[in-house]
Amino acid sequence: MDCIFCKIIDKKIPSKMVYEDESVYAFEDIHPQAPIHILIVPKKHIDTILEAKAEDNELVGQMFQTANKIADERGVAQRGFRLVLNCNSEAGQSVYHIHLHLLAGRAMHWPPG
Ligand code: 5GP
Ligand code: ZN
């Protein structure tokens, strides 16, 4: 399987790591869309959120807990932040290994583009 995020998790491709534990890895997005733009990925490869099963519920929860922790550490928890998870082409998913975008550090617009 040729997955860029699996290679980043395995440190075969360099990344700016923000957080790591046994099940989750977080790193700076290479093309930041906000002053803070961090990707939170499970170490387990899952193509899209549609493939996340009940057995992955804890793992998906850990992704959100990691986002909370990073938002707190970066001082944006109370100011506000946005979590985005794109699924399939119309949503703009470009890497087929699920990832949560943590965006913060500027006012966010709604509806999103
Ligand atoms: P998606 O469009 O799938 O929701 O988000 C994929 C994200 O991964 C994009 O924001 C893109 O900038 C980021 N990305 C793609 N390739 C790399 C890479 O090699 N390194 C890092 N750090 N981010 C990447
Ligand atoms: Zn992968």
Side-chain angles (χ1 to χ4, degrees):
M1 185 170 41
D2 198 33
C3 171
I4 193 162
F5 285 179
C6 282
K7 287 178 185 161
I8 285 174
I9 292 161
D10 291 341
K11 313 232 166 64
K12 289 174 183 152
I13 292 176
S15 67
K16 290 187 185 165
M17 187 185 78
V18 173
Y19 175 84
E20 180 172 27
D21 64 25
E22 66 285 353
S23 47
V24 170
Y25 188 74
F27 56 104
E28 305 278 353
D29 196 291
I30 204 165
H31 291 127
Q33 302 299 317
I36 296 171
H37 188 173
I38 293 164
L39 301 174
I40 299 150
V41 305
K43 288 190 171 176
K44 175 182 177 182
H45 179 94
I46 301 172
D47 287 331
T48 80
I49 196 63
L50 292 168
E51 276 80 41
K53 304 302 178 199
E55 68 198 37
D56 301 311
N57 283 356
E58 187 177 346
L59 183 58
V60 172
Q62 286 172 309
M63 293 168 68
F64 282 85
Q65 290 300 323
T66 301
N68 285 351
K69 180 180 159 65
I70 295 168
D72 193 41
E73 284 172 1
R74 296 289 178 105
V76 294
Q78 300 312 316
R79 279 176 64 188
F81 58 94
R82 183 169 289 176
L83 300 177
V84 174
L85 197 159
N86 295 319
C87 182
N88 281 335
S89 61
E90 277 201 8
Q93 184 173 4
S94 60
V95 177
Y96 282 76
H97 177 136
I98 60 168
H99 47 281
L100 204 51
H101 295 257
L102 167 58
L103 297 150
R106 64 167 171 82
M108 299 290 158
H109 305 292
W110 197 264

